[in-house]
Amino acid sequence: MKISHPAAVREGLHVEEHTGHRERLEKAFLSVQKQLPKMKKAKYRQRYHFMAPAFWINDPNGLIWYQGEYHLFYQYNPFAPCWGEMHWGHAVSSDLVHWKHLPLALAPSEDYDDYELGGCFSGSAVQHGEKLCLFYTGVCCEKNGDEVQRPCLACSGDGVNFTKYRGNPVIRSFPADGSRDFRDPKVWKSGRFWYMAVGSSKNGRGRILLYRSVNLTDWEYMGVMAGSDGKWGTMWECPDFFSLQGKDVLLFSPVGLKDRKAVYSIGSFNESNGNFTPESEGEVDWGFDFYAPQSFSDPKGRRIVIGWANSWDWMPWWNGYGPTQCDGWCGAMSLPRSIKWSGEGVLRFEPIEELQQLRKNHAHLPKTIVVPERPLPLPVDDGISYEICAEIDLSSLKSDEFYFQLRCGREEKTTLTFDRLHNQLTFDRTHSDSYSGGVKSCLLPFSSGGRMRIRIFVDTSSIEIFVNDGATVMSGNIYPDLGSTGASFAVRNGSVTLLSVDTWGLSSIW
Ligand code: FRU
């Protein structure tokens, strides 16, 4: 049964309330409520990273500043700690650090999005007049078994209760330039037009398709915005687009590579023909666990990006969905990072300054020369959730390799190594715990002089490292024992001058 929604009709978007949607949201809410007591005893819950109240989350969706608050939506399975039947979870924050969980925003309920192996897939949010409009991917299954993915719209006047547009899906089928993989609409406004980038593929190569509209409901196909020349995978998920300091930037998450990663491409976007011309590219995060990022601009004039702090390809190292699944939950978001263009064809991703309010129990180590015989123990509060800021003097560097060892216990340790001979930063999880594993490296240009600035964020089950104001970032999840709290800095040979080390414990946001 459908009931019309007078407020929405008055506002001009002709949305309709489907009672089925409300029932499905209610069912999901009750399931989550039942699971909450279990979360209190869950061992690896993060202290200052965003997590769903319980069960499974993946991509961040619909990031937006709306009516005085930051809104974060996310891919959510409210019935199990593993992927399935996608809903949109929802939370708000005044500072991007402390979050309040709100009622779920979207549940599968209509013929175009009601499918247990589909549902309401990823998308984005825009404000139109006073309304908050969500563009999501409705995923259903046709009688012949084919999965269908299409951009859909849902709107809200209060930022909490969302009503699906009666003309959904807003794009009825994928164009000849695309494929059945046709998802994750990212919508933005420029001048007279709204633009929508949709992730897709053609002949086994990833691409982004572009549409435009004057009213958010009628979309005109413009063409292929950008595509892989073969290097970047078979399909592009979660496209994101923004302009920054006079440059245009595309973000996307390629499928079909050896590892899952999020890529950025800096270039220029031609609004009249919809073409993006790339100039340089890089990875948003070179670690294990950062995928499907989404960005938005905030009232402070920043471009902020948040990623899903996991990746689909963790399974080679693990058996199943990992240790948190036994505790009834799975998945977290990365720290919010503010994006800057360095002016040299690379982007920098810095943790937002609001995180500093979590700092407590400061410790400062003055200038120290570290030699192999004397590793430097680091005072890191309770050894589970903390931040380290270190500065290294590169002009006096007489070592080929120096490293941090974190979350160390009798048999456990996670090692971050700076290798000057190969110009590499390596994140080694071989001994992190009894579940994870793997070694990841990325290039780290060592300049011959100056300072190297290193910031490390450690939480119950993750480590994020930012080098030189976010020019190189690596994130990874680890599951050490809660007794593994040691931290040290050491050198393999020669000596390293640590100009300073500052550490803080980081308070819980929950
Ligand atoms: C990325 C992704 C998206 C999709 C969503 C489904 O992680 O595969 O392309 O919309 O997850 O949950």
Side-chain angles (χ1 to χ4, degrees):
M1 184 180 75
K2 291 175 180 179
I3 49 169
S4 66
H5 193 284
V9 172
R10 199 171 55 239
E11 284 156 19
L13 271 173
H14 308 295
V15 283
E16 244 172 42
E17 185 79 47
H18 294 243
T19 47
H21 189 213
R22 268 200 253 152
E23 278 157 18
R24 299 290 287 269
L25 288 169
E26 182 68 17
K27 185 173 159 219
F29 170 78
L30 293 174
S31 163
V32 176
Q33 288 301 108
K34 238 174 102 188
Q35 184 77 346
L36 291 183
K38 219 175 159 191
M39 291 306 99
K40 295 212 174 82
K41 290 182 241 130
K43 180 172 169 191
Y44 293 113
R45 294 288 277 173
Q46 297 276 60
R47 291 199 193 155
Y48 60 91
H49 284 80
F50 179 82
M51 295 170 296
F55 295 126
W56 166 271
I57 84 175
N58 56 288
D59 318 353
N61 292 153
L63 296 175
I64 192 168
W65 170 265
Y66 173 73
Q67 288 182 351
E69 281 179 308
Y70 292 102
H71 289 250
L72 164 64
F73 300 84
Y74 51 91
Q75 287 288 278
Y76 194 30
N77 180 359
F79 300 110
C82 58
W83 188 89
E85 210 185 339
M86 281 292 118
H87 292 56
W88 276 37
H90 186 192
V92 286
S93 170
S94 60
D95 60 7
L96 283 170
V97 175
H98 299 90
W99 294 93
K100 185 171 120 202
H101 291 297
L102 290 185
L104 275 81
L106 296 177
S109 64
E110 309 308 313
D111 53 2
Y112 53 80
D113 67 12
D114 192 4
Y115 173 37
E116 64 213 356
L117 296 176
C120 305
F121 275 17
S122 287
S124 55
V126 293
Q127 179 169 352
H128 182 41
E130 289 303 304
K131 280 197 300 292
L132 178 53
C133 300
L134 306 181
F135 284 89
Y136 69 99
T137 313
V139 181
C140 62
C141 185
E142 282 181 341
K143 283 202 184 74
N144 63 6
D146 284 343
E147 186 179 299
V148 186
Q149 309 182 344
R150 289 171 298 192
C152 295
L153 170 64
C155 294
S156 167
D158 61 7
V160 180
N161 300 293
F162 290 86
T163 307
K164 293 177 183 175
Y165 172 53
R166 77 168 171 207
N168 274 342
V170 290
I171 297 172
R172 300 255 141 202
S173 63
F174 62 88
D177 288 337
S179 67
R180 287 192 166 276
D181 285 306
F182 185 58
R183 59 180 178 269
D184 310 338
K186 171 76 185 191
V187 177
W188 70 94
K189 188 156 199 208
S190 181
R192 204 160 72 79
F193 289 105
W194 296 95
Y195 293 86
M196 181 199 286
V198 186
S200 193
S201 65
K202 184 78 188 177
N203 302 327
R205 290 185 175 185
R207 48 173 53 174
I208 295 171
L209 307 173
L210 192 73
Y211 291 78
R212 73 177 179 189
S213 168
V214 286
N215 59 8
L216 287 179
T217 54
D218 302 303
W219 293 90
E220 170 199 358
Y221 179 57
M222 290 185 77
V224 179
M225 184 180 185
S228 169
D229 56 7
K231 178 179 168 197
W232 288 124
T234 52
M235 192 260 150
W236 286 1
E237 302 187 307
C238 303
D240 193 89
F241 172 82
F242 54 92
S243 299
L244 189 74
Q245 296 161 261
K247 285 282 168 193
D248 297 322
V249 181
L250 261 185
L251 298 183
F252 55 90
S253 297
V255 177
L257 300 175
K258 194 163 71 56
D259 301 324
R260 286 296 179 105
K261 52 186 72 191
V263 176
Y264 67 80
S265 176
I266 307 178
S268 53
F269 173 57
N270 181 330
E271 279 187 357
S272 41
N273 66 15
N275 217 271
F276 179 87
T277 311
E279 288 160 21
S280 61
E281 63 192 18
E283 290 182 29
V284 184
D285 185 307
W286 301 82
F288 300 92
D289 293 293
F290 185 91
Y291 193 67
Q294 187 172 101
S295 80
F296 72 108
S297 62
D298 88 337
K300 294 186 178 173
R302 300 176 294 185
R303 192 83 204 173
I304 290 174
V305 66
I306 296 178
W308 172 40
N310 271 132
S311 88
W312 293 110
D313 297 323
W314 54 357
M315 261 75 100
W317 290 299
W318 290 354
N319 204 358
Y321 279 108
T324 69
Q325 194 194 26
C326 317
D327 281 343
W329 69 284
C330 197
M333 294 301 167
S334 74
L335 290 177
R337 302 160 185 189
S338 123
I339 313 178
K340 307 226 168 81
W341 180 50
S342 71
E344 293 152 6
V346 288
L347 295 180
R348 291 191 289 110
F349 302 90
E350 284 184 89
I352 53 160
E353 66 204 17
E354 287 89 333
L355 289 162
Q356 292 178 19
Q357 64 185 293
L358 301 178
R359 289 173 172 175
K360 59 178 181 186
N361 301 336
H362 178 217
H364 173 76
L365 302 182
K367 186 167 163 180
T368 316
I369 297 175
V370 184
V371 291
E373 305 76 59
R374 281 199 308 278
L376 184 70
L378 298 172
V380 286
D381 201 38
D382 75 348
I384 293 176
S385 72
Y386 57 89
E387 177 185 349
I388 300 173
C389 285
E391 277 206 346
I392 296 200
D393 180 12
L394 293 176
S395 58
S396 67
L397 188 63
K398 296 195 189 67
S399 178
D400 299 328
E401 217 170 86
F402 52 91
Y403 52 93
F404 290 86
Q405 290 197 317
L406 307 168
R407 297 302 306 271
C408 305
R410 230 165 358 133
E411 283 165 16
E412 295 177 330
K413 63 183 179 206
T414 300
T415 309
L416 305 172
T417 304
F418 295 76
D419 173 346
R420 192 197 197 184
L421 288 181
H422 303 96
N423 287 336
Q424 268 186 356
L425 169 61
T426 299
F427 192 140
D428 184 349
R429 299 198 297 196
T430 316
H431 304 289
S432 293
D433 52 65
S434 45
Y435 307 96
S436 40
V439 177
K440 276 250 183 173
S441 295
C442 67
L443 269 188
L444 189 68
F446 274 81
S447 56
S448 49
R451 293 163 178 217
M452 181 182 278
R453 288 174 301 280
I454 301 165
R455 264 180 100 183
I456 304 171
F457 288 83
V458 178
D459 203 341
T460 316
S461 53
S462 70
I463 296 182
E464 283 160 276
I465 170 162
F466 300 84
V467 184
N468 290 345
D469 311 311
T472 307
V473 185
M474 284 186 114
S475 304
N477 295 337
I478 54 167
Y479 301 93
D481 199 81
L482 296 184
S484 295
T485 55
S488 63
F489 177 86
V491 301
R492 199 81 63 202
N493 58 8
S495 68
V496 171
T497 306
L498 268 174
L499 293 167
S500 65
V501 182
D502 290 278
T503 65
W504 296 265
L506 294 176
S507 302
S508 174
I509 58 168
W510 303 112

